[in-house]
Short mmCIF file of all heavy atoms in Angstrom, two decimals:
data_model
loop_
_atom_site.label_atom_id
_atom_site.label_comp_id
_atom_site.label_asym_id
_atom_site.label_seq_id
_atom_site.Cartn_x
_atom_site.Cartn_y
_atom_site.Cartn_z
N MET A 1 0.85 -1.15 0.00
CA MET A 1 0.00 0.00 0.00
C MET A 1 0.90 1.21 0.00
O MET A 1 1.88 1.25 0.73
CB MET A 1 -0.86 -0.02 1.26
CG MET A 1 -2.23 0.52 1.07
SD MET A 1 -2.43 2.23 1.48
CE MET A 1 -2.01 2.28 3.17
N GLY A 2 0.58 2.15 -0.88
CA GLY A 2 1.40 3.34 -0.98
C GLY A 2 0.64 4.48 -1.62
O GLY A 2 -0.56 4.43 -1.80
N CYS A 3 1.40 5.51 -1.98
CA CYS A 3 0.80 6.68 -2.61
C CYS A 3 1.03 6.62 -4.12
O CYS A 3 1.58 5.65 -4.63
CB CYS A 3 1.39 7.96 -2.02
SG CYS A 3 3.15 8.15 -2.37
N GLY A 4 0.64 7.67 -4.80
CA GLY A 4 0.70 7.70 -6.25
C GLY A 4 2.10 7.68 -6.85
O GLY A 4 2.24 7.65 -8.06
N ILE A 5 3.13 7.68 -6.03
CA ILE A 5 4.49 7.60 -6.55
C ILE A 5 4.77 6.23 -7.17
O ILE A 5 5.64 6.09 -8.00
CB ILE A 5 5.51 7.93 -5.44
CG1 ILE A 5 6.87 8.25 -6.05
CG2 ILE A 5 5.62 6.80 -4.45
CD1 ILE A 5 7.85 8.87 -5.08
N TYR A 6 3.98 5.24 -6.80
CA TYR A 6 4.15 3.88 -7.34
C TYR A 6 3.38 3.73 -8.65
O TYR A 6 2.24 4.18 -8.76
CB TYR A 6 3.64 2.84 -6.34
CG TYR A 6 4.47 2.80 -5.08
CD1 TYR A 6 4.01 3.40 -3.91
CD2 TYR A 6 5.71 2.19 -5.05
CE1 TYR A 6 4.78 3.39 -2.76
CE2 TYR A 6 6.48 2.17 -3.91
CZ TYR A 6 6.01 2.78 -2.76
OH TYR A 6 6.76 2.78 -1.63
N ASP A 7 3.99 3.08 -9.61
CA ASP A 7 3.35 2.83 -10.89
C ASP A 7 2.66 1.47 -10.86
O ASP A 7 3.32 0.43 -10.72
CB ASP A 7 4.40 2.86 -12.00
CG ASP A 7 3.80 2.59 -13.36
OD1 ASP A 7 2.77 3.20 -13.69
OD2 ASP A 7 4.37 1.76 -14.10
N LEU A 8 1.34 1.47 -10.95
CA LEU A 8 0.58 0.23 -10.86
C LEU A 8 0.88 -0.73 -12.01
O LEU A 8 0.93 -1.94 -11.81
CB LEU A 8 -0.92 0.52 -10.80
CG LEU A 8 -1.42 1.15 -9.50
CD1 LEU A 8 -2.90 1.47 -9.61
CD2 LEU A 8 -1.15 0.24 -8.33
N LYS A 9 1.10 -0.19 -13.19
CA LYS A 9 1.36 -1.05 -14.35
C LYS A 9 2.65 -1.85 -14.15
O LYS A 9 2.68 -3.07 -14.38
CB LYS A 9 1.45 -0.21 -15.62
CG LYS A 9 1.67 -1.02 -16.87
CD LYS A 9 1.70 -0.16 -18.11
CE LYS A 9 2.01 -1.03 -19.33
NZ LYS A 9 2.16 -0.22 -20.53
N THR A 10 3.69 -1.20 -13.71
CA THR A 10 4.96 -1.90 -13.47
C THR A 10 4.82 -2.90 -12.33
O THR A 10 5.30 -4.02 -12.43
CB THR A 10 6.08 -0.88 -13.16
OG1 THR A 10 6.20 0.01 -14.27
CG2 THR A 10 7.40 -1.58 -12.91
N ALA A 11 4.16 -2.50 -11.26
CA ALA A 11 3.96 -3.42 -10.13
C ALA A 11 3.19 -4.66 -10.57
O ALA A 11 3.52 -5.78 -10.18
CB ALA A 11 3.21 -2.70 -9.00
N ALA A 12 2.17 -4.47 -11.40
CA ALA A 12 1.37 -5.60 -11.90
C ALA A 12 2.22 -6.53 -12.76
O ALA A 12 2.09 -7.75 -12.67
CB ALA A 12 0.17 -5.10 -12.69
N GLU A 13 3.11 -5.97 -13.57
CA GLU A 13 3.99 -6.78 -14.41
C GLU A 13 4.88 -7.70 -13.57
O GLU A 13 5.26 -8.78 -14.01
CB GLU A 13 4.86 -5.89 -15.30
CG GLU A 13 4.11 -5.23 -16.42
CD GLU A 13 5.00 -4.32 -17.25
OE1 GLU A 13 6.24 -4.50 -17.26
OE2 GLU A 13 4.44 -3.42 -17.90
N PHE A 14 5.21 -7.25 -12.36
CA PHE A 14 6.06 -8.04 -11.48
C PHE A 14 5.26 -8.85 -10.47
O PHE A 14 5.80 -9.41 -9.52
CB PHE A 14 7.08 -7.13 -10.78
CG PHE A 14 8.18 -6.69 -11.69
CD1 PHE A 14 8.07 -5.52 -12.42
CD2 PHE A 14 9.32 -7.46 -11.83
CE1 PHE A 14 9.08 -5.12 -13.28
CE2 PHE A 14 10.34 -7.07 -12.68
CZ PHE A 14 10.23 -5.90 -13.41
N GLY A 15 3.93 -8.90 -10.66
CA GLY A 15 3.08 -9.74 -9.82
C GLY A 15 2.85 -9.21 -8.41
O GLY A 15 2.51 -9.98 -7.52
N GLN A 16 3.00 -7.92 -8.21
CA GLN A 16 2.85 -7.35 -6.88
C GLN A 16 1.42 -6.90 -6.61
O GLN A 16 0.76 -6.33 -7.48
CB GLN A 16 3.79 -6.15 -6.72
CG GLN A 16 5.24 -6.52 -6.82
CD GLN A 16 6.14 -5.31 -6.76
OE1 GLN A 16 5.78 -4.22 -7.19
NE2 GLN A 16 7.33 -5.50 -6.21
N ALA A 17 0.96 -7.15 -5.40
CA ALA A 17 -0.35 -6.68 -4.95
C ALA A 17 -0.13 -5.30 -4.34
O ALA A 17 0.40 -5.17 -3.24
CB ALA A 17 -0.94 -7.63 -3.93
N ILE A 18 -0.53 -4.26 -5.08
CA ILE A 18 -0.33 -2.88 -4.64
C ILE A 18 -1.65 -2.13 -4.67
O ILE A 18 -2.43 -2.26 -5.62
CB ILE A 18 0.67 -2.14 -5.57
CG1 ILE A 18 2.01 -2.85 -5.62
CG2 ILE A 18 0.84 -0.68 -5.16
CD1 ILE A 18 2.85 -2.75 -4.36
N ALA A 19 -1.89 -1.35 -3.63
CA ALA A 19 -3.05 -0.47 -3.55
C ALA A 19 -2.53 0.95 -3.38
O ALA A 19 -1.63 1.19 -2.57
CB ALA A 19 -3.95 -0.85 -2.39
N ILE A 20 -3.08 1.88 -4.14
CA ILE A 20 -2.65 3.27 -4.11
C ILE A 20 -3.70 4.11 -3.39
O ILE A 20 -4.88 4.09 -3.75
CB ILE A 20 -2.44 3.81 -5.54
CG1 ILE A 20 -1.36 3.02 -6.26
CG2 ILE A 20 -2.10 5.31 -5.51
CD1 ILE A 20 0.01 3.06 -5.63
N ALA A 21 -3.24 4.86 -2.39
CA ALA A 21 -4.12 5.76 -1.64
C ALA A 21 -3.85 7.20 -2.09
O ALA A 21 -2.75 7.53 -2.54
CB ALA A 21 -3.86 5.63 -0.15
N LYS A 22 -4.87 8.04 -1.95
CA LYS A 22 -4.74 9.44 -2.35
C LYS A 22 -5.23 10.33 -1.22
O LYS A 22 -6.29 10.11 -0.66
CB LYS A 22 -5.56 9.70 -3.61
CG LYS A 22 -5.43 11.10 -4.13
CD LYS A 22 -6.20 11.27 -5.42
CE LYS A 22 -6.07 12.69 -5.94
NZ LYS A 22 -6.86 12.86 -7.17
N GLY A 23 -4.43 11.33 -0.91
CA GLY A 23 -4.83 12.31 0.08
C GLY A 23 -5.73 13.36 -0.54
O GLY A 23 -6.07 13.30 -1.72
N THR A 24 -6.13 14.31 0.27
CA THR A 24 -6.94 15.43 -0.18
C THR A 24 -6.27 16.71 0.30
O THR A 24 -5.40 16.67 1.18
CB THR A 24 -8.36 15.36 0.41
OG1 THR A 24 -8.28 15.54 1.83
CG2 THR A 24 -9.05 14.05 0.08
N PRO A 25 -6.67 17.87 -0.24
CA PRO A 25 -6.10 19.11 0.28
C PRO A 25 -6.32 19.27 1.79
O PRO A 25 -5.45 19.77 2.50
CB PRO A 25 -6.83 20.20 -0.51
CG PRO A 25 -7.19 19.54 -1.80
CD PRO A 25 -7.53 18.11 -1.41
N ALA A 26 -7.46 18.81 2.27
CA ALA A 26 -7.74 18.92 3.70
C ALA A 26 -6.97 17.88 4.53
O ALA A 26 -6.65 18.12 5.68
CB ALA A 26 -9.23 18.75 3.95
N LYS A 27 -6.67 16.74 3.90
CA LYS A 27 -5.94 15.66 4.59
C LYS A 27 -4.85 15.13 3.66
O LYS A 27 -4.96 14.03 3.12
CB LYS A 27 -6.90 14.53 4.98
CG LYS A 27 -7.87 14.90 6.07
CD LYS A 27 -8.65 13.69 6.51
CE LYS A 27 -9.57 14.06 7.66
NZ LYS A 27 -10.25 12.90 8.19
N PRO A 28 -3.77 15.91 3.49
CA PRO A 28 -2.70 15.46 2.61
C PRO A 28 -1.93 14.29 3.23
O PRO A 28 -1.96 14.07 4.44
CB PRO A 28 -1.81 16.69 2.48
CG PRO A 28 -2.05 17.47 3.73
CD PRO A 28 -3.49 17.20 4.09
N LEU A 29 -1.26 13.54 2.37
CA LEU A 29 -0.43 12.43 2.83
C LEU A 29 0.95 12.99 3.18
O LEU A 29 1.79 13.21 2.32
CB LEU A 29 -0.31 11.37 1.74
CG LEU A 29 -1.63 10.76 1.25
CD1 LEU A 29 -1.37 9.76 0.13
CD2 LEU A 29 -2.39 10.12 2.39
N VAL A 30 1.15 13.22 4.47
CA VAL A 30 2.40 13.80 4.95
C VAL A 30 3.24 12.73 5.66
O VAL A 30 4.42 12.57 5.38
CB VAL A 30 2.13 14.99 5.90
CG1 VAL A 30 3.43 15.57 6.42
CG2 VAL A 30 1.31 16.05 5.17
N GLU A 31 2.63 12.02 6.55
CA GLU A 31 3.28 10.95 7.32
C GLU A 31 2.81 9.60 6.80
O GLU A 31 1.68 9.49 6.29
CB GLU A 31 2.92 11.08 8.81
CG GLU A 31 3.32 12.39 9.43
CD GLU A 31 4.83 12.59 9.49
OE1 GLU A 31 5.56 11.58 9.59
OE2 GLU A 31 5.27 13.75 9.43
N PRO A 32 3.61 8.56 6.93
CA PRO A 32 3.17 7.23 6.46
C PRO A 32 1.83 6.80 7.03
O PRO A 32 1.02 6.18 6.35
CB PRO A 32 4.30 6.30 6.93
CG PRO A 32 5.51 7.17 7.01
CD PRO A 32 4.99 8.52 7.45
N GLU A 33 1.56 7.18 8.27
CA GLU A 33 0.30 6.80 8.91
C GLU A 33 -0.91 7.43 8.23
O GLU A 33 -2.02 6.94 8.35
CB GLU A 33 0.33 7.20 10.40
CG GLU A 33 1.34 6.43 11.21
CD GLU A 33 2.77 6.96 11.09
OE1 GLU A 33 2.98 8.07 10.53
OE2 GLU A 33 3.67 6.24 11.52
N ASP A 34 -0.70 8.53 7.50
CA ASP A 34 -1.80 9.20 6.80
C ASP A 34 -2.41 8.30 5.73
O ASP A 34 -3.57 8.46 5.36
CB ASP A 34 -1.33 10.50 6.15
CG ASP A 34 -0.88 11.54 7.18
OD1 ASP A 34 -1.31 11.45 8.36
OD2 ASP A 34 -0.10 12.43 6.80
N LEU A 35 -1.64 7.34 5.23
CA LEU A 35 -2.14 6.41 4.22
C LEU A 35 -3.28 5.56 4.76
O LEU A 35 -4.14 5.12 4.01
CB LEU A 35 -1.01 5.49 3.74
CG LEU A 35 0.09 6.15 2.91
CD1 LEU A 35 1.29 5.22 2.83
CD2 LEU A 35 -0.43 6.50 1.54
N LEU A 36 -3.29 5.32 6.06
CA LEU A 36 -4.29 4.42 6.64
C LEU A 36 -5.71 4.97 6.54
O LEU A 36 -6.65 4.20 6.37
CB LEU A 36 -3.94 4.12 8.10
CG LEU A 36 -2.61 3.39 8.29
CD1 LEU A 36 -2.29 3.27 9.77
CD2 LEU A 36 -2.62 2.03 7.60
N GLU A 37 -5.89 6.27 6.65
CA GLU A 37 -7.23 6.86 6.60
C GLU A 37 -7.60 7.34 5.20
O GLU A 37 -8.75 7.67 4.94
CB GLU A 37 -7.34 8.00 7.60
CG GLU A 37 -7.12 7.56 9.05
CD GLU A 37 -7.97 6.38 9.47
OE1 GLU A 37 -9.17 6.35 9.14
OE2 GLU A 37 -7.44 5.47 10.12
N ALA A 38 -6.63 7.38 4.29
CA ALA A 38 -6.89 7.82 2.93
C ALA A 38 -7.67 6.76 2.16
O ALA A 38 -7.64 5.57 2.50
CB ALA A 38 -5.56 8.12 2.23
N LYS A 39 -8.34 7.18 1.11
CA LYS A 39 -9.11 6.26 0.27
C LYS A 39 -8.22 5.65 -0.81
O LYS A 39 -7.36 6.32 -1.37
CB LYS A 39 -10.28 6.98 -0.40
CG LYS A 39 -11.34 7.46 0.57
CD LYS A 39 -12.05 6.30 1.21
CE LYS A 39 -13.14 6.82 2.15
NZ LYS A 39 -13.82 5.75 2.81
N ILE A 40 -8.46 4.39 -1.09
CA ILE A 40 -7.77 3.71 -2.18
C ILE A 40 -8.36 4.18 -3.50
O ILE A 40 -9.57 4.22 -3.67
CB ILE A 40 -7.90 2.18 -2.03
CG1 ILE A 40 -7.26 1.71 -0.71
CG2 ILE A 40 -7.29 1.45 -3.23
CD1 ILE A 40 -5.78 2.00 -0.58
N VAL A 41 -7.48 4.52 -4.46
CA VAL A 41 -7.94 5.01 -5.76
C VAL A 41 -7.51 4.11 -6.90
O VAL A 41 -7.96 4.28 -8.03
CB VAL A 41 -7.46 6.45 -6.02
CG1 VAL A 41 -8.10 7.41 -5.02
CG2 VAL A 41 -5.95 6.55 -5.99
N GLY A 42 -6.63 3.15 -6.64
CA GLY A 42 -6.19 2.25 -7.69
C GLY A 42 -5.55 1.01 -7.09
O GLY A 42 -4.98 1.07 -6.00
N VAL A 43 -5.69 -0.10 -7.80
CA VAL A 43 -5.12 -1.37 -7.33
C VAL A 43 -4.59 -2.16 -8.52
O VAL A 43 -5.05 -1.99 -9.65
CB VAL A 43 -6.15 -2.24 -6.57
CG1 VAL A 43 -6.64 -1.54 -5.33
CG2 VAL A 43 -7.32 -2.62 -7.45
N THR A 44 -3.64 -3.04 -8.25
CA THR A 44 -3.19 -3.96 -9.28
C THR A 44 -4.16 -5.15 -9.32
O THR A 44 -4.90 -5.38 -8.35
CB THR A 44 -1.77 -4.50 -8.98
OG1 THR A 44 -1.79 -5.18 -7.72
CG2 THR A 44 -0.73 -3.39 -8.97
N PRO A 45 -4.16 -5.90 -10.41
CA PRO A 45 -5.02 -7.09 -10.45
C PRO A 45 -4.73 -8.06 -9.30
O PRO A 45 -5.64 -8.71 -8.78
CB PRO A 45 -4.69 -7.73 -11.81
CG PRO A 45 -4.22 -6.60 -12.65
CD PRO A 45 -3.48 -5.68 -11.70
N GLN A 46 -3.48 -8.13 -8.89
CA GLN A 46 -3.12 -9.02 -7.79
C GLN A 46 -3.75 -8.56 -6.48
O GLN A 46 -4.19 -9.38 -5.67
CB GLN A 46 -1.59 -9.10 -7.66
CG GLN A 46 -0.92 -9.73 -8.85
CD GLN A 46 -0.63 -8.75 -10.00
OE1 GLN A 46 -1.10 -7.61 -10.02
NE2 GLN A 46 0.15 -9.21 -10.97
N ALA A 47 -3.81 -7.26 -6.26
CA ALA A 47 -4.46 -6.72 -5.05
C ALA A 47 -5.97 -6.94 -5.13
O ALA A 47 -6.61 -7.29 -4.15
CB ALA A 47 -4.14 -5.24 -4.88
N GLU A 48 -6.51 -6.73 -6.32
CA GLU A 48 -7.95 -6.94 -6.51
C GLU A 48 -8.32 -8.40 -6.23
O GLU A 48 -9.38 -8.68 -5.66
CB GLU A 48 -8.34 -6.55 -7.93
CG GLU A 48 -9.83 -6.46 -8.14
CD GLU A 48 -10.18 -5.85 -9.48
OE1 GLU A 48 -9.47 -6.10 -10.47
OE2 GLU A 48 -11.17 -5.11 -9.52
N ALA A 49 -7.44 -9.31 -6.57
CA ALA A 49 -7.69 -10.74 -6.30
C ALA A 49 -7.74 -11.02 -4.80
O ALA A 49 -8.34 -12.01 -4.37
CB ALA A 49 -6.61 -11.60 -6.96
N LEU A 50 -7.14 -10.15 -4.01
CA LEU A 50 -7.19 -10.30 -2.55
C LEU A 50 -8.45 -9.67 -1.96
O LEU A 50 -8.67 -9.73 -0.76
CB LEU A 50 -5.96 -9.65 -1.91
CG LEU A 50 -4.60 -10.23 -2.29
CD1 LEU A 50 -3.48 -9.42 -1.64
CD2 LEU A 50 -4.51 -11.70 -1.91
N GLY A 51 -9.26 -9.00 -2.79
CA GLY A 51 -10.48 -8.37 -2.32
C GLY A 51 -10.35 -6.88 -2.12
O GLY A 51 -11.26 -6.23 -1.62
N ILE A 52 -9.22 -6.30 -2.49
CA ILE A 52 -8.99 -4.87 -2.31
C ILE A 52 -9.58 -4.13 -3.51
O ILE A 52 -9.31 -4.47 -4.65
CB ILE A 52 -7.49 -4.58 -2.17
CG1 ILE A 52 -6.94 -5.34 -0.95
CG2 ILE A 52 -7.23 -3.09 -2.05
CD1 ILE A 52 -5.44 -5.42 -0.89
N ILE A 53 -10.40 -3.13 -3.21
CA ILE A 53 -11.06 -2.36 -4.27
C ILE A 53 -10.89 -0.87 -3.99
O ILE A 53 -10.60 -0.47 -2.86
CB ILE A 53 -12.56 -2.70 -4.37
CG1 ILE A 53 -13.26 -2.43 -3.03
CG2 ILE A 53 -12.77 -4.14 -4.80
CD1 ILE A 53 -14.77 -2.51 -3.09
N ALA A 54 -11.10 -0.06 -5.03
CA ALA A 54 -11.07 1.39 -4.84
C ALA A 54 -12.20 1.79 -3.90
O ALA A 54 -13.24 1.14 -3.85
CB ALA A 54 -11.22 2.08 -6.19
N ALA A 55 -11.98 2.84 -3.16
CA ALA A 55 -12.93 3.45 -2.24
C ALA A 55 -12.83 2.94 -0.80
O ALA A 55 -13.37 3.57 0.10
CB ALA A 55 -14.37 3.37 -2.72
N ILE A 56 -12.15 1.81 -0.56
CA ILE A 56 -11.95 1.41 0.83
C ILE A 56 -10.80 2.25 1.39
O ILE A 56 -10.10 2.94 0.66
CB ILE A 56 -11.67 -0.11 0.98
CG1 ILE A 56 -10.33 -0.51 0.34
CG2 ILE A 56 -12.81 -0.93 0.41
CD1 ILE A 56 -9.92 -1.95 0.62
N THR A 57 -10.59 2.20 2.69
CA THR A 57 -9.50 2.95 3.30
C THR A 57 -8.19 2.18 3.18
O THR A 57 -8.18 0.95 2.97
CB THR A 57 -9.75 3.23 4.79
OG1 THR A 57 -9.75 2.00 5.50
CG2 THR A 57 -11.05 3.99 5.00
N GLY A 58 -7.11 2.90 3.34
CA GLY A 58 -5.81 2.25 3.35
C GLY A 58 -5.71 1.22 4.46
O GLY A 58 -5.11 0.15 4.30
N ARG A 59 -6.31 1.51 5.59
CA ARG A 59 -6.30 0.56 6.72
C ARG A 59 -6.98 -0.75 6.31
O ARG A 59 -6.48 -1.83 6.59
CB ARG A 59 -7.01 1.16 7.93
CG ARG A 59 -7.01 0.27 9.16
CD ARG A 59 -7.68 0.93 10.35
NE ARG A 59 -7.26 2.29 10.60
CZ ARG A 59 -6.14 2.65 11.24
NH1 ARG A 59 -5.34 1.72 11.68
NH2 ARG A 59 -5.86 3.92 11.43
N GLU A 60 -8.11 -0.65 5.63
CA GLU A 60 -8.81 -1.86 5.18
C GLU A 60 -7.95 -2.64 4.18
O GLU A 60 -7.89 -3.87 4.23
CB GLU A 60 -10.15 -1.49 4.56
CG GLU A 60 -11.16 -0.97 5.57
CD GLU A 60 -12.38 -0.35 4.93
OE1 GLU A 60 -12.22 0.51 4.03
OE2 GLU A 60 -13.49 -0.74 5.32
N ALA A 61 -7.27 -1.92 3.30
CA ALA A 61 -6.41 -2.59 2.31
C ALA A 61 -5.29 -3.35 3.01
O ALA A 61 -5.00 -4.49 2.66
CB ALA A 61 -5.85 -1.57 1.33
N VAL A 62 -4.68 -2.71 3.98
CA VAL A 62 -3.59 -3.37 4.72
C VAL A 62 -4.13 -4.60 5.45
O VAL A 62 -3.49 -5.65 5.48
CB VAL A 62 -2.91 -2.39 5.70
CG1 VAL A 62 -1.98 -3.12 6.65
CG2 VAL A 62 -2.16 -1.32 4.94
N GLU A 63 -5.30 -4.48 6.05
CA GLU A 63 -5.90 -5.63 6.74
C GLU A 63 -6.12 -6.79 5.79
O GLU A 63 -5.84 -7.94 6.13
CB GLU A 63 -7.20 -5.22 7.43
CG GLU A 63 -6.98 -4.32 8.63
CD GLU A 63 -8.25 -3.72 9.20
OE1 GLU A 63 -9.34 -3.93 8.62
OE2 GLU A 63 -8.15 -3.02 10.21
N TRP A 64 -6.61 -6.51 4.56
CA TRP A 64 -6.81 -7.56 3.56
C TRP A 64 -5.47 -8.20 3.19
O TRP A 64 -5.36 -9.42 3.06
CB TRP A 64 -7.48 -7.02 2.32
CG TRP A 64 -8.97 -6.90 2.42
CD1 TRP A 64 -9.69 -5.77 2.63
CD2 TRP A 64 -9.92 -7.96 2.32
NE1 TRP A 64 -11.03 -6.07 2.67
CE2 TRP A 64 -11.20 -7.41 2.47
CE3 TRP A 64 -9.81 -9.33 2.11
CZ2 TRP A 64 -12.36 -8.17 2.43
CZ3 TRP A 64 -10.96 -10.09 2.06
CH2 TRP A 64 -12.22 -9.51 2.23
N MET A 65 -4.44 -7.37 3.02
CA MET A 65 -3.11 -7.88 2.66
C MET A 65 -2.54 -8.75 3.77
O MET A 65 -1.97 -9.81 3.51
CB MET A 65 -2.17 -6.73 2.33
CG MET A 65 -2.48 -6.04 1.03
SD MET A 65 -1.33 -4.68 0.74
CE MET A 65 -2.00 -4.03 -0.78
N LEU A 66 -2.68 -8.29 4.99
CA LEU A 66 -2.17 -9.08 6.12
C LEU A 66 -2.92 -10.40 6.26
O LEU A 66 -2.31 -11.43 6.55
CB LEU A 66 -2.26 -8.27 7.42
CG LEU A 66 -1.29 -7.11 7.53
CD1 LEU A 66 -1.60 -6.29 8.78
CD2 LEU A 66 0.14 -7.60 7.55
N GLN A 67 -4.21 -10.37 6.04
CA GLN A 67 -4.99 -11.60 6.11
C GLN A 67 -4.53 -12.58 5.03
O GLN A 67 -4.42 -13.77 5.27
CB GLN A 67 -6.47 -11.30 5.95
CG GLN A 67 -7.35 -12.52 6.05
CD GLN A 67 -8.83 -12.17 5.92
OE1 GLN A 67 -9.22 -11.03 5.78
NE2 GLN A 67 -9.66 -13.19 5.95
N ALA A 68 -4.25 -12.06 3.85
CA ALA A 68 -3.81 -12.93 2.74
C ALA A 68 -2.46 -13.55 3.04
O ALA A 68 -2.23 -14.71 2.71
CB ALA A 68 -3.74 -12.12 1.45
N THR A 69 -1.56 -12.80 3.69
CA THR A 69 -0.23 -13.35 3.97
C THR A 69 -0.28 -14.37 5.10
O THR A 69 0.54 -15.27 5.12
CB THR A 69 0.78 -12.25 4.29
OG1 THR A 69 0.35 -11.53 5.44
CG2 THR A 69 0.98 -11.32 3.12
N THR A 70 -1.24 -14.25 6.00
CA THR A 70 -1.31 -15.22 7.09
C THR A 70 -2.02 -16.49 6.68
O THR A 70 -1.87 -17.52 7.33
CB THR A 70 -1.99 -14.62 8.34
OG1 THR A 70 -3.31 -14.21 7.98
CG2 THR A 70 -1.21 -13.45 8.89
N THR A 71 -2.79 -16.42 5.59
CA THR A 71 -3.50 -17.62 5.15
C THR A 71 -2.82 -18.27 3.93
O THR A 71 -3.26 -19.30 3.47
CB THR A 71 -4.96 -17.30 4.78
OG1 THR A 71 -4.98 -16.31 3.75
CG2 THR A 71 -5.72 -16.81 6.00
N ALA A 72 -1.76 -17.63 3.43
CA ALA A 72 -1.05 -18.19 2.26
C ALA A 72 -0.30 -19.45 2.66
O ALA A 72 0.19 -19.59 3.78
CB ALA A 72 -0.08 -17.16 1.70
N VAL A 73 -0.24 -20.36 1.73
CA VAL A 73 0.50 -21.61 1.97
C VAL A 73 1.96 -21.38 1.63
O VAL A 73 2.29 -20.89 0.55
CB VAL A 73 -0.08 -22.74 1.08
CG1 VAL A 73 0.70 -24.02 1.27
CG2 VAL A 73 -1.55 -22.94 1.38
N PRO A 74 2.88 -21.71 2.56
CA PRO A 74 4.30 -21.51 2.27
C PRO A 74 4.76 -22.38 1.10
O PRO A 74 4.21 -23.45 0.88
CB PRO A 74 5.01 -21.95 3.55
CG PRO A 74 3.96 -22.23 4.55
CD PRO A 74 2.63 -22.27 3.86
N PRO A 75 5.78 -21.89 0.34
CA PRO A 75 6.26 -22.66 -0.82
C PRO A 75 6.91 -23.98 -0.41
O PRO A 75 7.36 -24.19 0.63
CB PRO A 75 7.25 -21.74 -1.48
CG PRO A 75 7.52 -20.62 -0.56
CD PRO A 75 6.47 -20.64 0.51
#
């Protein structure tokens, strides 16, 4: 989970589950923790496969990602 500095197309090419959050003028993304309350505006197909969609909060996206990593089967 990150801000718009990440390129979703490149992340998707490398199989990464990435969700992009966007701040607002009233609530800019200044500190890393600000991502948690921001809304998700874009996801890679891999993130979408985990259930992450636009409009949820960054906190929800992280929770989905953490749940996926704890239920994944080790190689």
Side-chain angles (χ1 to χ4, degrees):
M1 215 266 299
C3 65
I5 197 167
Y6 294 102
D7 179 47
L8 290 176
K9 182 178 177 185
T10 301
E13 288 178 23
F14 286 90
Q16 297 176 329
I18 302 288
I20 299 299
K22 183 177 180 182
T24 66
K27 291 187 177 185
L29 302 178
V30 178
E31 301 294 330
E33 294 81 11
D34 295 338
L35 291 165
L36 298 174
E37 299 308 317
K39 294 293 182 182
I40 299 299
V41 295
V43 298
T44 60
Q46 295 85 349
E48 192 171 36
L50 298 176
I52 300 166
I53 59 170
I56 66 172
T57 66
R59 182 178 312 279
E60 291 168 310
V62 169
E63 289 171 356
W64 278 102
M65 289 179 183
L66 290 173
Q67 182 178 359
T69 60
T70 59
T71 58
V73 178

